[in-house]
Amino acid sequence: MTTTLTAPTEHACGPLLAAGHTACTGCGEALAAKLVLGAAGSNIIVTDATGCLEVFTTRFPQSSWEVPFIHSLFENSAAVASGIEAALRALGRQNEAKVIAQGGDGGTADIGLQALSGMLERGHDILYVCYDNEAYMNTGVQRSGLTPFDCMTTTSPYGEYSWGNKHNKKDMPGIAAAHGIPYVATASVAFPKDIENKVKKALTITGPKYIQIHSPCPLGWRSNPQLTIKVAKLAVETGLYPIFEIENGKVTKVRKVKTPKTPVEEYLKIQGRFAHLFKSAKAKEEIQKIQEIADRNIEKYGLA
């Protein structure tokens, strides 16, 4: 006998991502995951790629997950979720639970991109959530496809011949939207209610959905853990992390930036991963390049 889902509700007994896990102080990913689960409600099945979120929530024999949780390999969270969704349909039980696939930026934009593309292409009724902390934090802060330009990581070091990561951040929301899926959104832990609203909205839509959440990592970003929300908010206010929704291929809603716009230095200077950009006059050219990235985002998405 199947059960028809009603609108997602908050868990009656407490958080669906329980306290007591081992995330670092000020971890943006832990906050984001808690918000996603709280908005989704308890009628969900969750998959999670290898990464920080899996490690700090599943310290054997304990687990912080108060919902069905399946840890997959680094590359196949979307593939495992696809199998779960297909199985529910085959059994006629698709109305009993929503399926949420999760991954970090590396597991999404690099290692898991093929599995994610397949999930989106096949049209599975799954919400994919990318927790974007802009590097492989769990394995030693190596750069990923979502690491920002000129950011210093252990594999994109600053030195005589380098200003850090020389590549632009991969446009994962654009790649997801190019699959023709009904809903794509970006969000930030600086705006919790926005995350909750987008998760609830996504789960009312049939088909594949993609949400990318900017999640500061004080360890990898070398920022003060007490400033996690401030750092996240500055990324949005400078235009470096545009917040928007794409529905059926069209941008339908954006979070505007303030006028006059906040210069990118305000965001960069409070993070050790960009400290090298403030050590010489020559680095001003690099900061100007980053400002131009923000300006292009503001123009592209109409944020001003």
Side-chain angles (χ1 to χ4, degrees), residues 139-277:
T139 52
V141 197
Q142 297 89 2
R143 73 162 294 278
S144 77
L146 295 188
T147 298
F149 179 73
D150 271 355
C151 176
M152 182 167 53
T153 71
T154 53
T155 52
S156 60
Y158 158 68
E160 183 177 358
Y161 300 105
S162 171
W163 290 105
N165 179 40
K166 61 182 180 181
H167 303 292
N168 289 326
K169 193 176 176 73
K170 191 180 293 183
D171 182 11
M172 269 309 301
I175 292 171
H179 287 74
I181 65 175
Y183 187 74
V184 174
T186 58
S188 166
V189 294
F191 305 100
K193 186 56 69 177
D194 185 57
I195 292 177
E196 293 174 340
N197 289 339
K198 285 173 177 171
V199 169
K200 290 178 180 178
K201 181 176 181 177
L203 292 177
T204 65
I205 298 170
T206 302
K209 290 81 62 175
Y210 177 86
I211 298 179
Q212 184 171 304
I213 304 175
H214 201 214
S215 309
C217 169
L219 176 68
W221 296 17
R222 292 192 282 152
S223 55
N224 187 331
Q226 296 180 344
L227 300 182
T228 290
I229 299 303
K230 180 180 180 180
V231 174
K233 187 172 290 187
L234 281 170
V236 175
E237 291 178 345
T238 56
L240 284 173
Y241 210 92
I243 302 299
F244 56 83
E245 291 177 278
I246 298 176
E247 297 179 68
N248 298 311
K250 295 183 178 180
V251 177
T252 56
K253 192 175 182 181
V254 302
R255 177 176 288 276
K256 298 285 188 179
V257 298
K258 296 178 181 177
T259 303
K261 63 186 178 186
T262 305
V264 297
E265 287 95 330
E266 297 300 311
Y267 172 66
L268 303 175
K269 69 183 182 184
I270 57 175
Q271 303 173 66
R273 62 178 180 159
F274 295 112
H276 57 290
L277 299 179

Side-chain angles (χ1 to χ4, degrees), residues 102-114:
Q102 304 175 113
D105 47 286
T108 300
D110 301 336
I111 301 174
L113 181 56
Q114 182 177 355

Side-chain angles (χ1 to χ4, degrees), residues 92-112:
R93 300 178 64 179
Q94 63 269 29
N95 293 326
E96 293 186 34
K98 296 289 186 181
V99 181
I100 298 178
Q102 304 175 113
D105 47 286
T108 300
D110 301 336
I111 301 174

Side-chain angles (χ1 to χ4, degrees), residues 38-146:
S42 57
N43 288 334
I44 55 175
I45 299 173
V46 175
T47 69
D48 190 30
T50 296
C52 280
L53 181 60
E54 165 259 328
V55 170
F56 71 68
T57 58
T58 59
R59 193 170 186 174
F60 183 81
Q62 300 169 327
S63 172
S64 289
W65 299 90
E66 300 288 351
V67 295
F69 171 85
I70 299 175
H71 166 227
S72 66
L73 301 176
F74 222 140
E75 71 275 20
N76 64 357
S77 180
V80 172
S82 296
I84 294 169
E85 189 264 356
L88 288 173
R89 279 192 287 109
L91 295 170
R93 300 178 64 179
Q94 63 269 29
N95 293 326
E96 293 186 34
K98 296 289 186 181
V99 181
I100 298 178
Q102 304 175 113
D105 47 286
T108 300
D110 301 336
I111 301 174
L113 181 56
Q114 182 177 355
L116 173 60
S117 178
M119 185 204 94
L120 301 177
E121 177 186 338
R122 291 188 298 267
H124 289 282
D125 186 18
I126 296 171
L127 169 61
Y128 189 97
V129 179
C130 170
Y131 300 104
D132 180 13
N133 58 20
E134 302 190 322
Y136 290 86
M137 302 307 182
N138 181 51
T139 52
V141 197
Q142 297 89 2
R143 73 162 294 278
S144 77
L146 295 188

